[in-house]
């Protein structure tokens, strides 16, 4: 999925984000915690700050589809 979100070359053909996460009851706090952990791991892996910001922006754009509580 992340490869697809970042522009490929792999394509994601799974369920849409709403359907895939609805049963999990993800709260905004849950979503934000995962985003924080993602950021920490990207920084620790040496990913350039501009790329970290781009990735987090893409992930944030899916919040309304993932957060259900």
């Amino acid at each position: 999925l992340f490869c697809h979100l970042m522009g490929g070359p792999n394509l994601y053909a799974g369920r849409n984000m709403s359907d895939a996460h609805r049963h999990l009851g993800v709260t905004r706090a849950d979503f934000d915690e995962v985003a924080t952990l993602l950021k920490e791991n990207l920084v620790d892996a040496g990913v350039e700050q501009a790329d970290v910001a781009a990735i987090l922006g893409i992930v944030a754009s899916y919040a309304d589809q993932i957060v259900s509580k």
Side-chain angles (χ1 to χ4, degrees), residues 12-36:
Y12 175 74
R15 296 182 293 168
N16 68 48
M17 293 296 105
S18 295
D19 291 343
H21 293 85
R22 185 175 296 116
H23 72 284
L24 298 173
V26 177
T27 66
R28 186 62 200 215
D30 296 328
F31 184 89
D32 290 345
E33 181 177 354
V34 170
T36 297

Side-chain angles (χ1 to χ4, degrees), residues 1-12 55 58:
L1 174 63
F2 278 110
C3 183
H4 174 77
L5 294 176
M6 300 300 117
N10 295 2
L11 297 178
Y12 175 74
I55 292 166
I58 292 167

Side-chain angles (χ1 to χ4, degrees), residues 48-68:
E48 300 270 341
Q49 181 56 39
D51 292 333
V52 171
I55 292 166
L56 292 176
I58 292 167
V59 169
S61 74
Y62 285 87
D64 288 345
Q65 296 175 45
I66 295 172
V67 174
S68 62

